[in-house]
């Protein structure tokens, strides 16, 4: 099994094990708790595809701005929490691996929060291609993620083929998780090199936000 596959399998296992405690960070950190409200400042419109929706922290805010939301996540445990949190008839939850799933339709907005930093470098181009294929003409990708300052809160493993941190679940088990901290400038350059038009900027001291349009998006 390739290094990416090993890490991603373990990453999924971590978020399944951590599902019940996932929302704790939103309770403990005021800056994180305020973040979903920033959806009102982002160009969310029309039919929205939310990738890696987790426990639905962002899904309700998206639904308030959108015509419909299709929220995708691989972990049954987090989806169960999201379905309780968000009961809007305009929201549909889908259990699927973001790296393998292909939407059957296109969307005006593709949104993901705290997901891009979990995409291995070798899969970034393929991931952005999937996002481009999911967008309707004129559609935009919108995302929020950890900025470089958040790296100080992680425990990194040295000499790994994939950027890796160690996370511990409440039961004491430790998991290796893919984690990259994209700077706005570097991520903008990466997207530009793939033909995207991107506006990536800091969001407070700890986070970044981005809006991107794929090549030939008209």
């Amino acid at each position: 099994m390739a290094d990416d596959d090993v890490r991603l399998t373990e990453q999924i296992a971590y978020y399944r094990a951590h599902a019940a405690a996932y929302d704790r960070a939103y309770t403990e950190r005021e800056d994180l708790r305020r973040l979903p409200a920033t959806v009102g400042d982002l160009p969310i419109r029309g039919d929205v595809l939310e990738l890696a929706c987790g426990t639905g922290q962002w899904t309700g805010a998206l639904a308030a701005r959108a015509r419909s939301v299709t929220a995708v996540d691989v972990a049954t445990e987090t989806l169960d929490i999201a379905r309780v949190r968000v009961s809007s008839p305009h929201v549909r939850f889908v259990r699927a691996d973001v790296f393998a799933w292909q939407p059957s339709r296109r969307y005006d907005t593709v949104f993901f929060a705290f997901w891009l930093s979990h995409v291995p470098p070798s899969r970034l181009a393929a991931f952005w291609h999937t996002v481009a294929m999911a967008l309707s003409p004129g559609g935009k990708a919108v995302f929020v993620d950890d900025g470089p300052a958040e790296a100080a809160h992680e425990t990194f493993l040295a000499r790994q083929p994939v950027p890796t941190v160690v996370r511990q679940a409440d039961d004491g088990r430790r998991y290796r998780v893919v984690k990259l901290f994209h700077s706005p400038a570097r991520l903008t350059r990466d997207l530009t090199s793939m033909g995207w038009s991107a506006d990536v900027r800091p969001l407070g001291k700890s986070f970044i936000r981005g809006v991107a349009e794929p090549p030939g998006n008209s």
Side-chain angles (χ1 to χ4, degrees):
M1 185 179 291
D3 292 321
D4 285 1
D5 294 330
V6 171
R7 289 294 183 273
L8 292 173
T9 297
E10 197 164 336
Q11 181 168 284
I12 292 170
Y14 167 72
Y15 278 106
R16 294 187 66 184
H18 185 62
Y22 181 88
D23 292 335
R24 185 184 301 151
Y26 284 87
T27 301
E28 296 174 345
R29 291 185 54 174
E30 184 180 356
D31 58 347
L32 187 57
R33 185 166 59 250
R34 292 197 307 262
L35 266 189
T38 64
V39 164
D41 299 322
L42 298 173
I44 305 297
R45 67 177 185 87
D47 296 312
V48 175
L49 172 63
E50 183 185 10
L51 299 176
C53 68
T55 60
Q57 283 281 355
W58 295 78
T59 312
L62 294 171
R65 298 282 309 281
R67 182 167 50 241
S68 71
V69 177
T70 299
V72 180
D73 200 274
V74 69
T76 302
E77 292 81 357
T78 55
L79 283 174
D80 287 345
I81 296 170
R83 289 189 177 100
V84 172
R85 171 174 278 132
V86 183
S87 58
S88 168
H90 304 297
V91 176
R92 180 173 71 97
F93 290 100
V94 176
R95 181 182 177 275
D97 183 344
V98 169
F99 290 115
W101 181 72
Q102 294 293 323
S104 59
R105 51 159 299 182
R106 293 195 172 200
Y107 298 84
D108 302 297
T109 309
V110 176
F111 177 86
F112 35 99
F114 300 104
W115 165 247
L116 188 62
S117 54
H118 290 309
V119 178
S122 64
R123 300 199 181 199
L124 272 175
F127 170 72
W128 283 105
H129 177 73
T130 297
V131 173
M133 293 300 97
L135 285 169
S136 299
K140 296 180 180 180
V142 181
F143 57 90
V144 173
D145 215 313
D146 289 312
E150 286 295 288
H153 301 291
E154 298 281 2
T155 301
F156 284 86
L157 291 179
R159 298 183 298 276
Q160 298 296 306
V162 183
T164 303
V165 299
V166 176
R167 299 275 182 87
Q168 183 170 309
D170 282 354
D171 62 7
R173 287 181 293 174
R174 292 159 65 88
Y175 298 85
R176 294 170 299 178
V177 174
V178 175
K179 192 68 177 179
L180 293 83
F181 293 90
H182 298 280
S183 72
R186 176 62 183 270
L187 185 53
T188 298
R189 289 197 300 269
D190 290 345
L191 285 167
T192 300
S193 72
M194 290 185 277
W196 287 71
S197 172
D199 175 13
V200 186
R201 61 184 66 179
L203 182 60
K205 296 180 179 179
S206 299
F207 311 109
I208 63 171
R209 48 81 81 191
V211 178
E213 298 182 51
N217 187 25
S218 58

